[in-house]
Amino acid sequence: QVQLVESGGGLVQPGGSLRLSCAASGSIFRINRMSWYRQAPGKQRELVCTTSGDSTVYADSVKGRFTISRNNAKNMTYLQMSSLKREDTAVYYCNAVLQRVGSWGIDDYWGQGTQVTVSS
């Protein structure tokens, strides 16, 4: 089994910072792509950022404020969020496209989501 577990969400004031973590566990051979999504109330889930190899893409709304990073040895990904705005309030999800040990194919997994609330 493969599982993604998020942490780091919570309440933060506008202009503040948070770092989200997502730990992937299980029989993982290689994580090909890690992404962060978010879903605000009444809105569709949107891509925040994604990274694969040397390629990293950010949504325009978070560019320059958010940074995605990976620790491949620990099968973890992080989302450093700075200069947070009220509009960043959403449930944040991590997503991993990975290859499992002993598998020829790739699979797509989602975390459970963590609430980020930006409010004074």
Side-chain angles (χ1 to χ4, degrees):
Q1 294 182 351
V2 173
Q3 186 177 11
L4 271 58
V5 179
E6 300 175 351
S7 62
L11 176 65
V12 64
Q13 295 182 343
S17 300
L18 276 178
R19 189 178 79 157
L20 305 182
S21 300
C22 180
S25 61
S27 300
I28 300 171
F29 174 70
R30 182 177 66 182
I31 299 177
N32 297 326
R33 177 176 292 277
M34 293 294 300
S35 305
W36 287 94
Y37 291 77
R38 68 184 182 185
Q39 186 168 22
K43 296 184 178 180
Q44 295 184 359
R45 186 173 300 186
E46 65 175 346
L47 177 67
V48 175
C49 56
T50 184
T51 182
S52 178
D54 294 329
S55 178
T56 303
V57 178
Y58 296 90
D60 289 339
S61 59
V62 306
K63 195 173 301 181
R65 300 187 298 117
F66 290 12
T67 302
I68 186 173
S69 61
R70 294 173 61 178
N71 187 327
N72 294 327
K74 296 182 179 180
N75 287 330
M76 295 190 68
T77 186
Y78 309 91
L79 182 65
Q80 178 66 52
M81 306 183 295
S82 301
S83 301
L84 284 163
K85 306 174 181 178
R86 299 184 191 275
E87 307 92 89
D88 296 319
T89 296
V91 178
Y92 284 72
Y93 302 87
C94 62
N95 172 264
V97 177
L98 55 84
Q99 181 180 354
R100 292 182 292 170
V101 174
S103 177
W104 295 104
I106 58 174
D107 297 294
D108 191 335
Y109 293 90
W110 290 88
Q112 79 287 353
T114 184
Q115 177 70 49
V116 173
T117 302
V118 184
S119 177
S120 59

